[in-house]
Amino acid sequence: MDNSLPPFKIFSGSASQYMAEEICKELGVELGKMKIEHFADGEFEVSFEESVRGCEVYLVQSTFPNSDNLMELLLMIDAAKRASARNVVAVMPYFGWARQDRKDKPRVSIAAKLVSDMLVTAGADRVITMDLHADQIQGFFNIPVDHLYASSVFIPYIQSLKLEDLVIATPDVGGAKRANSYAKYLDVPLVLCHKQRAKANVVAKMTVIGDVKDKNVILVDDMVDTAGTITKAANLMMENGAKSVRALCSHAIMSDPASERVDECALVEMIFTNSIPFRKDCKKCTIISVARLFADTIRRVHSNQSISSQYLIK
């Protein structure tokens, strides 16, 4: 590192300490000391146990449910600014509330915009995140947003499988752009699934658009919640003559009964990143770490280097 640069320190909220520790190991630094004290009424207090004056402070915290994780991050940002940190960067491997990015029916909030406003109001100078549910969320911020892609770790994994007759598929039309990027990079066909929802987290009907007969299919999505869509798509692929079906998904939300659905469906393997801690018992799940991706990005951001080389595909 250039000695003329201000020092940097990495701290973690309680939900993402495992990730922060991996990032620090990659960077060869110690994880900063901080204390989160909980009170009897559920309120909590965040305090840094070492000086951050004049430092570049990187706060690692994914904001998956519950909302305490978001509140922790907001308090960490506020505490760092009040302690005279030079710059505060929110490192959010998973950006929660991203599915609420527009008004899709009357009288609803745009939660992703609200969360972005809260982060900026708290004092964040930059956000580093990965595989937003909707790319336009970057535009909700008036500060720099480094949007990383799990393809940086997924593409090498796909190539290591050495699958013949490969097809990339998406479990819904909304993920077509992401899946198409994989298909173009790997120079393989793209297949779409069209779904109709009965209500949130419930798929009423699904059809396959494209040929999967005698193909090894890899489904690509940004997150899995109850796993209803992805498992239904996998079963449908096999019904249409696929040889095998795997799934790549960036964020393992995996609300019950997702694990049971994955284990019981036609999927050979479900591959996630560790953006969210995965503590469920699911035999078919493989977790790939993105700590090195975030560590390299932090190193580049701190030394004012381009991060575009991080992107295999967008």
Side-chain angles (χ1 to χ4, degrees):
M1 288 285 183
D2 186 345
N3 291 330
S4 65
L5 294 171
F8 75 90
K9 294 187 177 183
I10 297 175
F11 297 87
S12 171
S14 56
S16 297
Q17 186 163 341
Y18 71 98
M19 174 71 81
E21 288 172 350
E22 284 190 51
I23 290 171
C24 286
K25 186 176 180 179
E26 292 287 344
L27 290 170
V29 299
E30 293 289 327
L31 182 62
K33 297 179 177 63
M34 68 179 310
K35 182 179 179 183
I36 301 174
E37 184 177 0
H38 290 260
F39 303 115
D41 63 352
E43 191 176 313
F44 49 88
E45 178 186 73
V46 169
S47 61
F48 291 92
E49 300 296 291
E50 57 188 83
S51 175
V52 296
R53 184 178 296 274
C55 294
E56 302 273 352
V57 174
Y58 294 84
L59 305 175
V60 182
Q61 179 81 318
S62 286
T63 56
F64 54 93
N66 60 45
S67 55
D68 282 1
N69 297 322
L70 173 60
M71 193 64 193
E72 263 188 28
L73 178 57
L74 294 172
L75 293 178
M76 289 160 63
I77 294 168
D78 182 67
K81 295 298 282 191
R82 294 179 187 278
S84 301
R86 183 189 181 99
N87 281 305
V88 179
V89 181
V91 181
M92 305 169 68
Y94 172 70
F95 184 96
W97 285 272
R99 284 175 283 184
Q100 300 179 54
D101 62 307
R102 64 195 185 283
K103 284 190 71 173
D104 56 354
K105 58 185 177 181
R107 298 176 295 280
V108 296
S109 67
I110 303 178
K113 170 60 175 167
L114 177 61
V115 170
S116 66
D117 286 346
M118 288 193 291
L119 290 166
V120 173
T121 300
D125 297 293
R126 177 184 290 268
V127 170
I128 302 174
T129 189
M130 183 184 75
D131 277 3
L132 288 166
H133 185 67
D135 286 346
Q136 65 266 22
I137 291 173
Q138 296 173 79
F140 293 174
F141 290 89
N142 290 322
I143 57 174
V145 176
D146 295 311
H147 186 201
L148 308 181
Y149 297 90
S151 55
S152 301
V153 296
F154 282 157
I155 290 288
Y157 187 83
I158 294 173
Q159 292 170 328
S160 73
L161 296 174
K162 299 186 182 340
L163 295 172
E164 296 181 356
D165 302 314
L166 181 64
V167 166
I168 297 295
T170 174
D172 58 55
V173 176
K177 180 183 175 184
R178 179 181 294 105
N180 186 53
S181 297
Y182 280 78
K184 284 178 65 177
Y185 185 89
L186 294 166
D187 193 24
V188 299
L190 173 68
V191 171
L192 304 177
C193 285
H194 175 65
K195 69 180 180 183
Q196 295 174 321
R197 285 195 182 276
K199 58 182 179 179
N201 289 335
V202 178
V203 179
K205 184 180 179 183
M206 182 177 285
T207 54
V208 176
I209 305 171
D211 181 21
V212 296
K213 185 173 176 57
D214 297 324
K215 306 291 185 182
N216 289 302
V217 180
I218 295 184
L219 289 158
V220 177
D221 209 351
D222 66 316
M223 65 177 70
V224 172
D225 191 346
T226 61
T229 298
I230 202 92
T231 54
K232 193 176 184 71
N235 292 337
L236 192 59
M237 296 293 171
M238 292 302 290
E239 290 168 12
N240 279 265
K243 283 198 287 190
S244 70
V245 187
R246 292 171 173 81
L248 298 173
C249 301
S250 305
H251 309 298
I253 300 174
M254 295 292 280
S255 308
D256 290 334
S259 294
E260 290 81 359
R261 284 176 172 170
V262 170
D263 278 339
E264 292 169 4
C265 79
L267 282 170
V268 174
E269 185 180 24
M270 173 81 84
I271 304 106
F272 292 113
T273 75
N274 62 341
S275 62
I276 295 175
F278 185 70
R279 303 187 179 98
K280 301 292 179 70
D281 182 19
C282 186
K283 300 179 183 66
K284 293 184 180 179
C285 289
T286 299
I287 309 298
I288 301 178
S289 177
V290 288
R292 179 170 295 176
L293 174 63
F294 278 91
D296 288 346
T297 302
I298 289 171
R299 185 185 292 113
R300 291 168 184 271
V301 167
H302 182 67
S303 57
N304 299 312
Q305 296 177 358
S306 170
I307 67 166
S308 59
S309 60
Q310 299 283 77
Y311 303 143
L312 287 182
I313 61 175
K314 297 182 182 180

